[in-house]
Amino acid sequence: MVVRFTAAPTFTARTDHNGARLIVDVPDAALRGAPAAITRPTGLIGGVMAQAFKTGRSKTTRLLVSLREKATHSIRVDGKNLVVTFGSGETATRESTQSGAPEPPTSARASRILDVEFGHTTIRDQITVQLSTVPKVSRSSEAGRTRLVLHGARLPSALERTLDVSAFKGPVSAVSSFPATGDVRGVVVEVEHAEGVTDRVERQGSKLVWTFEDPTTLPSSVTGVAPDGGVARRSRTIHVENELVDLPEIHSGYEPSDGEGAQEYQTAPEQAGAFTPAILGQQAQPGRGFAGRRIDLDLKDADIHNVLRLLADVGRVNIVTADNVSGTVTIRMRNVPWDQALDVILQSKSLGLERRGNMLRVAPLDQLEKEREMRIARQKQELQLAPLETRLIPVSYASASEIQKRAQDLLSGRGSIAVDDRTNVMIVRDVAGNLNQIEELTRSLDTQTPQVLIEARIVEATSRYLRDVGIQWGGDATFSPATGNPTGLAFPSAVNAVGGASDNNTPTAGLSPFSNQVQNPNFAVNLPAAVGTGSGGAIGLTFGSINNTINLAVRLSAAESSGMLRILSSPRILTLDNQEARISQGTLIPFSQISAQGVQTTFQEAKLQLLVKPHVTADGSVSMHVKINRDEPDFNQTSPRGDPTILKREAETSLLVMDGHTAVIGGIFTRNTGRNLDQVPFFGDIPLIGVLFQRRRASDSRSELVIFLTPRIVNRAEALGR
């Protein structure tokens, strides 16, 4: 027995019920997709049941293995598999641990014969050999006697016997089982039978079924007629004399189907006989739409009843034929599924088939149609005569009027539905069967509507950097007899030089130690930085000569600013599935409009808004259409009348997000950089000295907008059932 896990397991094991049951506990393991119970006996194992239970905070899986007889066991871990091996003998009453015992070699697990049984029917005899495992077999025959040797098998002393079955008057007269002698090790099952019989061996799980048939007692539809007038054997039975063969497993034919009672069975697929061409490598593909055992048919003027008996025997089903079914069939088919052959034969004779479990009823098509019409008429009549009942069906979450529209189709012609709006209750009157269907429909539709909490996060980050360096300098010089420094020339006898960039509006603080402002500074270079309260700084220098005949004034100014701004907006709203929701916050900005009617004031919205319509999918994800706005007034940029502009940020999209997960639905990143150079021509280009004739400005502005969205289903367990 092999149990597969997703990781290497650890285990403890013990025996119970005096060695009749093995209990294996695997901690930290849960059942996923594995069957809870396996009830079909196989070898020494009578059945396996799996249980999962909690031990503290972890889960433990327990395997209960029922044994058909006392046996030894060993348990080992093979990668991610737990391998449990059983052998015949007394069960050890010790605790197994993680290491386990090594698995015994194949030779140590010899096949054990559990029973040898005989069965008789009107057309065949069967010997069934119950085994713990199926060994290799070989067959030999002589006049009136056939042997089957099970190599390496062991036979209990109680089964060393001879069964006299001659009283059944079938093909077999005696069955003997005894240990093999000589160089052969194993068990011999010997059958004494009449001359001319045919036999075949099938493996069914851990059983070998040996079938004997007398062709002279079979219907012609089973044997077929040989060209020479003799009886031909069934073409799918091939005997292998004295050859060691591994038998393929053939299903037993009748297995209970799910949900059926003990008396109803379904046919196992592909019922192929043993020693067929499939064993010799000639596997045939099943016909399209048919999965029955493949057979060969060569029939001429065969009675339809015998043909149906043949197909019932091959398909291992029960066929009941109506009295008015008659006629003969001539058909030749090779390697076709038996159910396809049955379908073709029924079509050729205008017959129909009615199936109930493994019972097949064959009758003319017109008769089956009449019976079907009579059943329908009887059901309608019963429906008309059935008593009417009244049932109150409360509706908790949905609207009773909406469910009423969907339940109308389930009413019979005599039924009716009324709704009490005050209590949200449906009043249904109809037959009991329809009432149950309407109530079941209501329970399926009347569930909690999922509620979704949608949270949006709008993150804005802005950084700015600005640097401005400027210079102002100028002065005056006088050379004249009045100042005592004439030029000594007849012309010009007096020279007066003064800065020409005269600007009374330019700040001149710092140029004079006696006054904050200097009238008409007359700068020669006037390239100042924008400095003032809260921005930058400046320094003024004044140089003068004796009697103030030569004056020089210099003013250096510089400003540098940097800043970081982060804005986080987080609107959130709760709404029902498939319902649009909106939440907003903002201001109304008035604007004046002048027209012929006069001055009119209008308002423009500048708001933060979340508009969303969610839909919860069956797997618990949220599909939604969302629109997010963030508008704000900008008073730095105004109209000529002073009205501010509106900065708009908007995202609109449709997306699918898992419950509780966060998605980035959009983002915008902008960057503005600039460098400005103001200078006096020619002088500003002179190396080193040129800086006295220049003003330098540099700016860098970055802005990023990111929008996040997170949906959460607040009533997931009640609305989705998980």
Side-chain angles (χ1 to χ4, degrees):
M1 181 179 72
V2 179
V3 185
R4 294 182 174 86
F5 295 86
T6 57
T10 58
F11 66 91
T12 59
R14 67 180 188 274
T15 58
D16 195 5
H17 290 67
N18 196 22
R21 185 170 66 174
L22 174 65
I23 302 175
V24 181
D25 290 338
V26 182
D28 299 326
L31 293 173
R32 290 185 180 177
I38 302 176
T39 58
R40 175 180 292 180
T42 302
L44 296 174
I45 301 176
V48 180
M49 182 172 65
Q51 297 176 341
F53 56 90
K54 286 188 175 181
T55 55
R57 295 184 178 180
S58 62
K59 288 187 177 180
T60 298
T61 297
R62 173 168 292 178
L63 303 176
L64 303 175
V65 184
S66 299
L67 302 176
R68 303 175 69 179
E69 62 180 69
K70 290 186 177 181
T72 60
H73 72 272
S74 64
I75 307 175
R76 64 184 179 89
V77 176
D78 184 7
K80 297 181 180 179
N81 300 333
L82 188 66
V83 181
V84 185
T85 307
F86 296 94
S88 300
E90 295 293 330
T91 304
T93 58
R94 59 178 175 84
E95 293 288 334
S96 298
T97 60
Q98 166 63 33
S99 60
E103 184 181 5
T106 305
S107 59
R109 302 193 304 272
S111 176
R112 179 183 175 87
I113 297 181
L114 305 178
D115 198 3
V116 179
E117 303 173 348
F118 173 79
H120 172 75
T121 63
T122 56
I123 60 175
R124 64 174 58 89
D125 289 342
Q126 284 186 342
I127 293 92
T128 302
V129 183
Q130 299 275 1
L131 298 158
S132 60
T133 58
V134 178
K136 294 183 180 294
V137 300
S138 62
R139 176 187 172 280
S140 61
S141 63
E142 56 188 29
R145 191 185 302 267
T146 302
R147 288 186 173 186
L148 198 65
V149 180
L150 310 178
H151 294 265
R154 294 184 298 169
L155 182 69
S157 57
L159 296 180
E160 295 184 17
R161 63 189 181 187
T162 298
L163 301 177
D164 186 1
V165 295
S166 58
F168 291 98
K169 297 182 179 179
V172 177
S173 58
V175 180
S176 302
S177 54
F178 51 88
T181 59
D183 297 335
V184 179
R185 298 184 59 184
V187 176
V188 177
V189 180
E190 185 178 83
V191 176
E192 298 180 10
H193 52 79
E195 294 289 340
V197 301
T198 61
D199 67 292
R200 67 178 185 274
V201 181
E202 296 177 353
R203 173 188 171 189
Q204 298 177 358
S206 61
K207 299 187 300 182
L208 293 181
V209 180
W210 197 1
T211 304
F212 289 84
E213 297 173 342
D214 187 355
T216 60
T217 62
L218 296 177
S220 61
S221 59
V222 176
T223 60
V225 180
D228 59 355
V231 178
R233 292 183 176 182
R234 297 173 64 180
S235 61
R236 289 184 63 82
T237 302
I238 300 175
H239 295 302
V240 181
E241 296 290 342
N242 293 323
E243 182 178 348
L244 208 59
V245 178
D246 276 323
L247 295 180
E249 181 177 358
I250 305 300
H251 295 286
S252 58
Y254 305 124
E255 298 178 358
S257 62
D258 294 337
E260 295 181 341
Q263 301 300 323
E264 296 185 2
Y265 299 89
Q266 62 183 6
T267 305
E270 196 62 25
Q271 306 288 341
F275 299 104
T276 61
I279 300 176
L280 303 179
Q282 303 174 7
Q283 180 69 42
Q285 297 295 329
R288 181 180 180 183
F290 301 95
R293 171 184 173 183
R294 291 180 172 273
I295 60 173
D296 296 340
L297 290 177
D298 189 358
L299 308 173
K300 181 179 180 182
D301 296 332
D303 184 70
I304 184 66
H305 290 272
N306 290 335
V307 175
L308 294 177
R309 290 178 61 197
L310 166 64
L311 295 177
D313 177 66
V314 173
R316 299 183 179 181
V317 294
N318 301 316
I319 295 182
V320 179
T321 308
D323 295 338
N324 53 354
V325 175
S326 60
T328 58
V329 176
T330 299
I331 187 173
R332 181 182 178 86
M333 294 183 178
R334 293 195 179 278
N335 197 25
V336 296
W338 72 268
D339 47 353
Q340 184 179 12
L342 175 62
D343 183 68
V344 172
I345 292 172
L346 294 181
Q347 289 184 8
S348 65
K349 305 300 292 183
S350 298
L351 299 176
L353 185 68
E354 186 178 38
R355 181 186 295 270
R356 294 181 182 178
N358 76 321
M359 296 288 295
L360 306 180
R361 176 171 170 261
V362 178
L365 281 174
D366 54 354
Q367 178 180 344
L368 294 178
E369 288 294 332
K370 289 180 181 179
E371 292 178 358
R372 179 174 175 273
E373 293 175 358
M374 291 178 62
R375 283 196 301 269
I376 295 174
R378 184 166 58 253
Q379 292 175 357
K380 291 182 178 179
Q381 185 178 10
E382 291 176 355
L383 185 62
Q384 293 296 327
L385 298 178
L388 296 179
E389 299 180 7
T390 302
R391 188 174 299 178
L392 301 179
I393 303 177
V395 181
S396 300
Y397 304 105
S399 172
S401 300
E402 293 295 329
I403 296 183
Q404 177 191 18
K405 300 176 183 178
R406 291 162 176 76
Q408 291 286 353
D409 296 336
L410 300 180
L411 290 175
S412 66
R414 303 164 59 199
S416 63
I417 299 180
V419 173
D420 182 28
D421 294 330
R422 185 183 68 85
T423 58
N424 205 36
V425 172
M426 292 194 307
I427 306 170
V428 187
R429 182 172 177 80
D430 207 340
V431 296
N434 290 353
L435 291 179
N436 295 334
Q437 295 182 15
I438 294 174
E439 188 168 10
E440 182 65 25
L441 174 65
T442 303
R443 295 294 170 262
S444 300
L445 298 179
D446 186 27
T447 57
Q448 281 194 22
T449 303
Q451 296 187 79
V452 185
L453 176 65
I454 295 124
E455 178 181 0
R457 290 186 182 91
I458 306 171
V459 181
E460 298 176 71
T462 303
S463 64
R464 292 185 179 90
Y465 172 78
L466 177 64
R467 185 176 62 183
D468 190 354
V469 178
I471 186 171
Q472 294 172 288
W473 62 270
D476 60 85
T478 302
F479 300 94
S480 66
T483 57
N485 57 346
T487 62
L489 299 176
F491 180 85
S493 63
V495 176
N496 190 5
V498 67
S502 179
D503 188 357
N504 293 328
N505 296 324
T506 300
T508 59
L511 290 181
S512 172
F514 307 107
S515 176
N516 290 333
Q517 296 290 333
V518 176
Q519 296 296 327
N520 195 7
N522 293 328
F523 290 118
V525 176
N526 189 10
L527 298 173
V531 297
T533 303
S535 62
I539 184 172
L541 302 174
T542 302
F543 304 94
S545 66
I546 299 175
N547 296 327
N548 291 327
T549 57
I550 299 176
N551 296 310
L552 177 63
V554 179
R555 185 171 181 265
L556 300 176
S557 58
E560 182 173 330
S561 65
S562 62
M564 174 69 71
L565 176 65
R566 185 173 183 268
I567 301 175
L568 174 62
S569 305
S570 181
R572 65 184 69 183
I573 192 169
L574 180 67
T575 183
L576 291 175
D577 185 26
N578 293 320
Q579 298 295 321
E580 186 176 82
R582 181 198 310 266
I583 186 171
S584 61
Q585 177 190 18
T587 60
L588 294 176
I589 303 173
F591 290 90
S592 298
Q593 294 180 346
I594 302 175
S595 63
Q597 288 78 19
V599 179
Q600 297 179 349
T601 302
T602 60
F603 293 89
Q604 177 65 38
E605 289 185 337
K607 61 184 179 180
L608 170 66
Q609 175 179 272
L610 171 63
L611 178 65
V612 64
K613 184 177 182 180
H615 168 64
V616 179
T617 62
D619 61 351
S621 299
V622 181
S623 172
M624 53 189 156
H625 181 81
V626 60
K627 182 178 180 181
I628 300 175
N629 296 81
R630 188 184 184 281
D631 305 336
E632 63 178 352
D634 184 6
F635 292 96
N636 294 323
Q637 301 180 28
T638 60
S639 67
R641 294 199 305 267
D643 299 328
T645 58
I646 305 296
L647 298 178
K648 296 184 66 67
R649 302 169 184 85
E650 179 179 314
E652 183 175 3
T653 184
S654 298
L655 69 159
L656 178 67
V657 186
M658 294 182 63
D659 177 28
H661 288 213
T662 300
V664 181
I665 67 172
I668 299 175
F669 176 78
T670 60
R671 181 179 181 182
N672 296 325
T673 60
R675 291 182 179 274
N676 294 332
L677 176 63
D678 300 332
Q679 68 178 18
V680 177
F682 178 73
F683 294 99
D685 295 329
I686 299 175
L688 299 178
I689 302 176
V691 297
L692 298 177
F693 300 89
Q694 295 177 347
R695 176 189 178 187
R696 297 177 179 270
R697 286 176 293 175
S699 63
D700 189 356
S701 177
R702 306 182 187 187
S703 176
E704 184 172 10
L705 171 68
V706 183
I707 302 176
F708 302 88
L709 201 67
T710 304
R712 291 184 176 87
I713 305 174
V714 298
N715 59 339
R716 181 187 181 102
E718 295 80 1
L720 302 181
R722 54 185 180 276

